[in-house]
Amino acid sequence: MTVRRTILKSAIAAASLAVFGLTAAAAEELDTLQEKGVIRISMSGAYPPFNFVNDENKVVGFDPAVGTEIAKRMGLEAEIVTTAWDGIIGGLLANKYDAIVGSMTITAERDEVVDFVGPYYSDKRAIFTKPGSDITSLADLDGKKVGLTLGETHEDWARAKGYSINTYKGLPELLLELENGRVDAIVNDSIAAILAMTAKGQEFAMFDDPDTKPFGAGIAIREGNPELAAAMQAALDSMMEDGTYLALAEKWIGADIR
C-alpha cells in the first residue's frame, strides 16, 4: 500500500464519525454556506506563486484569488485556511473547512474520497536539477537523492519508480534543499517550480517526465453536494468566460494556464 493510500484511508477513518448518517444533510451544504455567508477555503500556503504567505502575513497567490472570486460570485465571503498538505483531505472530511483550492491534482484515487470542481488549470510533472548536473533523464535518477513534497502525487510516482527520496512540507523547502545540495533533484509541477526559482534568482536545469500526460488541478469538496459543486462550477465558468480568470492568471502566473 502506498503512503498516499494510507493517508487517504486514514482520513476516511478519522472523518467517519463526522460524515456517518449525514447524507441528507450533506445535500443541503450549499444552503448552510449561504446562511452563514462564508465558505472556508483551504490550501497549504507553501506553494508560490499559487499560494503563499506574503510579508504582511497574508495568504496570497493564484489559488486564493480564484477561490475568493468564486466565493464572491456565489454571494459568499472567503475565509482562507492553511494546513499541512499531507493532511489536507482529512481536514476537509472532518469539516475543518469547506473546499480545497490549493492546486490539487485530480486523480481517480482522490476522486474516490472527494468530489472535484474544475479543473481550473493544467500542468505537468518536471524534474529540476542544478545547472551542469549529470541528471538529464529519468534513468539518471537511479541512486540519486530526490526531493518531493509530502503527500503530493509525485511522491507516489517516485516511490513506484524506486527512487531514494526525501520529503518536505512545501516548495520553498524543496528549492532550498536543491540549492544547498542536500538533494540531487526535485520533482514538482513545472509551472510553480519554474516561477518560484526564477523569482528568487535560483539557476536550474529541468526536463519533463515523458511518460506522464498533463494533469488538471481541481477544487475539492466533500462528496454528496451536487448543488454546491454546480454553483462553484458555474462561478468558475463565468470567470473564464468574462476574462476575470485570464486577468488573475496573468497577474500571478504570467500566462493563461487553462
Side-chain angles (χ1 to χ4, degrees), residues 34-85:
Q34 289 174 334
E35 288 176 6
K36 293 180 179 178
V38 176
I39 182 169
R40 299 164 298 169
I41 297 173
S42 182
M43 56 199 67
S44 70
Y47 198 59
F50 287 91
N51 63 85
F52 61 101
V53 180
N54 66 11
D55 293 338
E56 298 174 355
N57 203 34
K58 181 180 179 181
V59 182
V60 297
F62 183 65
D63 290 330
V66 168
T68 298
E69 182 64 25
I70 287 175
K72 177 183 176 182
R73 292 177 185 233
M74 294 170 62
L76 303 172
E77 294 289 334
E79 178 185 330
I80 305 301
V81 179
T82 59
T83 191
W85 186 255

Side-chain angles (χ1 to χ4, degrees), residues 123-142:
D123 202 353
K124 57 186 177 180
R125 176 180 295 129
I127 294 84
F128 296 86
T129 64
K130 286 185 173 182
S133 169
D134 59 355
I135 301 173
T136 58
S137 70
L138 295 183
D140 297 329
L141 290 176
D142 291 335

Side-chain angles (χ1 to χ4, degrees), residues 27-257:
E28 306 298 325
E29 191 160 321
L30 177 59
D31 292 338
T32 300
L33 292 174
Q34 289 174 334
E35 288 176 6
K36 293 180 179 178
V38 176
I39 182 169
R40 299 164 298 169
I41 297 173
S42 182
M43 56 199 67
S44 70
Y47 198 59
F50 287 91
N51 63 85
F52 61 101
V53 180
N54 66 11
D55 293 338
E56 298 174 355
N57 203 34
K58 181 180 179 181
V59 182
V60 297
F62 183 65
D63 290 330
V66 168
T68 298
E69 182 64 25
I70 287 175
K72 177 183 176 182
R73 292 177 185 233
M74 294 170 62
L76 303 172
E77 294 289 334
E79 178 185 330
I80 305 301
V81 179
T82 59
T83 191
W85 186 255
D86 59 325
I88 200 166
I89 288 180
L92 177 66
L93 299 183
N95 200 36
K96 293 181 179 179
Y97 27 84
D98 308 302
I100 300 170
V101 189
S103 296
M104 177 172 282
T105 301
I106 299 172
T107 67
E109 187 177 34
R110 284 171 172 160
D111 199 37
E112 294 178 359
V113 182
V114 299
D115 285 339
F116 281 103
V117 174
Y120 65 101
Y121 77 85
S122 61
D123 202 353
K124 57 186 177 180
R125 176 180 295 129
I127 294 84
F128 296 86
T129 64
K130 286 185 173 182
S133 169
D134 59 355
I135 301 173
T136 58
S137 70
L138 295 183
D140 297 329
L141 290 176
D142 291 335
K144 304 295 186 180
K145 184 64 68 173
V146 180
L148 306 106
T149 297
L150 180 65
E152 285 191 344
T153 53
H154 307 305
E155 182 189 354
D156 278 350
W157 171 83
R159 289 186 185 278
K161 291 282 190 180
Y163 299 140
S164 175
I165 70 173
N166 286 354
T167 56
Y168 303 93
K169 292 181 179 180
L171 182 56
E173 286 187 74
L174 281 182
L175 302 187
L176 185 61
E177 292 295 278
L178 177 63
E179 188 174 30
N180 292 337
R182 286 188 282 268
V183 295
D184 301 299
I186 62 172
V187 182
N188 202 85
D189 297 355
S190 64
I191 297 172
I194 289 171
L195 291 175
M197 283 191 277
T198 300
K200 67 179 295 204
Q202 182 173 345
E203 296 183 349
F204 63 90
M206 65 165 283
F207 59 91
D208 294 335
D209 168 17
D211 301 324
T212 302
K213 296 180 180 179
F215 47 80
I219 298 167
I221 61 174
R222 286 180 285 277
E223 290 186 316
N225 290 288
E227 294 179 0
L228 176 60
M232 296 186 81
Q233 187 67 57
L236 178 61
D237 291 344
S238 69
M239 288 172 57
M240 292 191 174
E241 291 168 1
D242 67 16
T244 302
Y245 175 93
L246 181 58
L248 294 176
E250 289 180 339
K251 174 182 178 180
W252 292 106
I253 312 300
D256 188 345
I257 55 174

